[in-house]
Structure formats: structure tokens, C-alpha cells
Amino acid sequence: MPPTSGPFAVLPEPPYYVVTFASERTDGDNGYGAMAEAMVDLARRQPGFLGVESARGADGFGITNSFWQSEEHIRAWKRVVDHLTAQQRGRRDWYRHYAVRIGVIQRAYDFSQESP
Amino acid sequence: MPPTSGPFAVLPEPPYYVVTFASERTDGDNGYGAMAEAMVDLARRQPGFLGVESARGADGFGITNSFWQSEEHIRAWKRVVDHLTAQQRGRRDWYRHYAVRIGVIQRAYDFSQESP
């Protein structure tokens, strides 16, 4: 598991894979908060996991980008999520709508005010 | 895909390109709100622009994913942004830290409670 830098994922040089999960929450918690936290903890322990970044506004719309070593690692993670959400509360209880896009990151750069 | 998207981008079938922009805001507005809105309006009018999704939490951490037809369209958009931010307040006034990752989305799926 890579070191974390506040809300930012610390990632290797590209290429690596991304899952962007955009979602609009339903009203009420319905066990979402606890499950979301457990999901992130579980993702961090998955093979091929590189990092995750997440933001949700007061309007209930959120984006989570998770980063992975390969598409096979992403497929394995999806099987874990599908299994868990079939056992417990489903994503369909938590989200009005969600959109998932999967791809490969080819280049990256960043900026920090703390940089020398 | 729903006809009216709200905060969701309505995108064509993959492949298409993505810019994920993760950022942590500085304190205070410093002209950020007006500029961010103008930027999105301008992006929407750029050649090759497909859509944008954005979320920022109360902690100041936000993610904006914008989607484009090609890498060349992304490079052209970056030139516009660099030009604007050089003329006006720079990104360096608005962000403590940001990370940009550019790649290609290869597959996508979504779910809606309103789906038949």
C-alpha cells in the first residue's frame, strides 16, 4: 500500500488504470457511511490497488477515482464489490444514479505550493 | 443514459479521453468562484469537449473529470487555460495542491433508479 498524502493519491509514473465512479446519493444514510468506509479500507488491501481520491459536495453528487495496476486487478475488485453488495445493502439503495468509466492514465503532473 | 443529466456528463460510447483534475483549494475565494464558472462555460464551447463532472467537499478537496474527443483537443484546451490563468489570477492562487492525470476511457456503464 502506497503512502497517502492527505486526500491525494500518491501514484507511480503512468501508465496505470483508473476507475472513475460518479454518483448521486439517495436521501438518508441507509448504512452508506459505514459501508463506504469499509469499502475503501478493503480496496486498499486489494492486489493491484494504487490509490483513491474522493469528493462529494453538499448537493449529494460525488466522484471517486481509484487507481490500479491493471485491468485484471479492476475486474477482481469489481467481483469483490458485487459479492459484498449482493450480501448486504446494494448500491441501488445508496445511489439515485451512478456512472462508471474505466480507462488507462497515460500522463500525469501535479503542482504544490509547498514545492521548492 | 438519461436525457437530462444534472451533474452527470452525457457521453458517447468509449473510447474517449479524460482529464482528472484533483485539487485542494486555498482559503478564501480570491476570484475562484467566478473564474471556475467561466472556465466551465469556456470548456463547453471548446472543440472536442464531451462533458464535465465536478464535486468538492466541505474540506476543500475536489475532483473535476472532463471528457474529450482526442488528446489534441485536450492539449488545445490546456493552451487556453494556460493563457487565461497567465492573464488573470493563476491556478497557484487558488490551489494548495493539484494533480492532473490524462488518459483514455475504454469502457463505461451506468445505473439509474429511474431506469425501466
Side-chain angles (χ1 to χ4, degrees):
Chain A
M1 179 180 140
T4 53
S5 177
F8 289 92
V10 178
L11 298 172
E13 288 298 303
Y16 46 78
Y17 288 79
V18 63
V19 180
T20 83
F21 181 80
S23 63
E24 193 164 47
R25 288 273 291 113
T26 50
D27 298 327
D29 188 69
N30 302 319
Y32 171 78
M35 188 60 168
E37 207 168 303
M39 284 278 205
V40 168
D41 287 347
L42 192 58
R44 289 187 192 281
R45 293 197 299 269
Q46 279 289 301
F49 175 84
L50 295 176
V52 62
E53 295 173 348
S54 198
R56 187 173 303 280
D59 61 353
F61 182 74
I63 298 173
T64 297
N65 289 338
S66 63
F67 302 94
W68 302 84
Q69 282 174 12
S70 77
E71 289 198 85
E72 182 44 52
H73 288 119
I74 290 172
R75 281 190 288 270
W77 170 238
K78 183 176 190 303
R79 286 192 293 271
V80 172
V81 171
D82 288 349
H83 183 66
L84 275 178
T85 54
Q87 286 181 309
Q88 305 187 27
R89 302 297 297 252
R91 287 191 163 181
R92 291 171 186 233
D93 292 322
W94 299 326
Y95 300 115
R96 276 191 223 290
H97 184 77
Y98 64 75
V100 181
R101 290 100 176 196
I102 296 155
V104 56
I105 297 297
Q106 298 165 324
R107 56 197 174 91
Y109 57 93
D110 70 341
F111 158 78
S112 178
Q113 281 191 354
E114 288 74 34
S115 288
Chain B
M1 194 58 82
T4 56
S5 59
F8 289 91
V10 178
L11 298 171
E13 287 299 303
Y16 47 78
Y17 289 78
V18 62
V19 180
T20 83
F21 181 80
S23 62
E24 193 164 46
R25 286 275 290 115
T26 49
D27 298 326
D29 188 71
N30 302 319
Y32 171 78
M35 189 57 168
E37 206 168 306
M39 284 278 205
V40 169
D41 287 348
L42 191 59
R44 289 186 193 281
R45 293 197 299 270
Q46 279 289 301
F49 174 84
L50 295 176
V52 63
E53 295 173 348
S54 198
R56 187 174 303 280
D59 62 352
F61 182 74
I63 298 174
T64 297
N65 289 339
S66 63
F67 302 95
W68 301 85
Q69 281 174 13
S70 77
E71 289 198 85
E72 182 43 52
H73 288 119
I74 289 172
R75 282 190 287 271
W77 170 236
K78 183 175 190 302
R79 287 192 291 272
V80 172
V81 171
D82 288 349
H83 183 66
L84 275 178
T85 54
Q87 286 182 308
Q88 307 186 25
R89 302 298 296 253
R91 288 191 162 181
R92 292 170 184 234
D93 291 322
W94 298 327
Y95 300 115
R96 276 191 222 291
H97 184 77
Y98 63 76
V100 182
R101 290 101 177 193
I102 296 156
V104 56
I105 297 297
Q106 297 165 325
R107 55 196 175 92
Y109 57 95
D110 69 340
F111 158 77
S112 178
Q113 281 191 353
E114 289 74 34
S115 289

